Amino acid sequence: MVKIIGHDVWRGGAKIGYIDGNHIHTHDGHRIGYFEGNYVHGQDGDKLAEINQDHLVSYGSNMRIPLDKVNESIEGGVLPEIGKCAVYVLLGS
């Protein structure tokens, strides 16, 4: 399970990244992507996933993940749903 505490993203007691506005960074500061509107983008701006009705749809793997599962996998934080989806896609669940 992933926990968001403040701007930091944690898994199993280790900091795996942080959130700066709508940008997601690894723990060592590398920007790996961002969220905007209903979309998750990679660092190069390519769309990686989107919210479509009540699912997160990943373009690369054609996976449709219920938003309930995303919300269960990520605890804490004050992020819009697409922000949690970005953490899920970019840093893993």
Side-chain angles (χ1 to χ4, degrees):
M1 172 173 292
V2 172
K3 288 187 180 184
I4 300 172
I5 302 172
H7 296 284
D8 297 332
V9 182
W10 297 81
R11 182 187 304 117
K15 182 178 172 181
I16 60 170
Y18 65 93
I19 303 159
D20 181 21
N22 66 334
H23 295 275
I24 310 295
H25 299 263
T26 60
H27 72 284
D28 57 356
H30 291 89
R31 189 181 97 157
I32 55 174
Y34 62 99
F35 55 93
E36 184 175 65
N38 282 337
Y39 297 97
V40 177
H41 299 267
Q43 69 179 14
D44 56 5
D46 289 344
K47 291 179 182 174
L48 302 177
E50 72 172 303
I51 292 178
N52 186 325
Q53 297 177 353
D54 59 349
H55 285 82
L56 172 64
V57 179
S58 175
Y59 295 150
S61 62
N62 285 333
M63 289 186 359
R64 291 180 53 84
I65 303 155
L67 291 177
D68 290 345
K69 181 177 179 186
V70 173
N71 289 317
E72 288 173 4
S73 299
I74 299 174
E75 181 178 290
V78 181
L79 281 176
E81 198 153 46
I82 191 62
K84 288 185 177 187
C85 289
V87 168
Y88 188 92
V89 169
L90 298 168
L91 293 174
S93 58

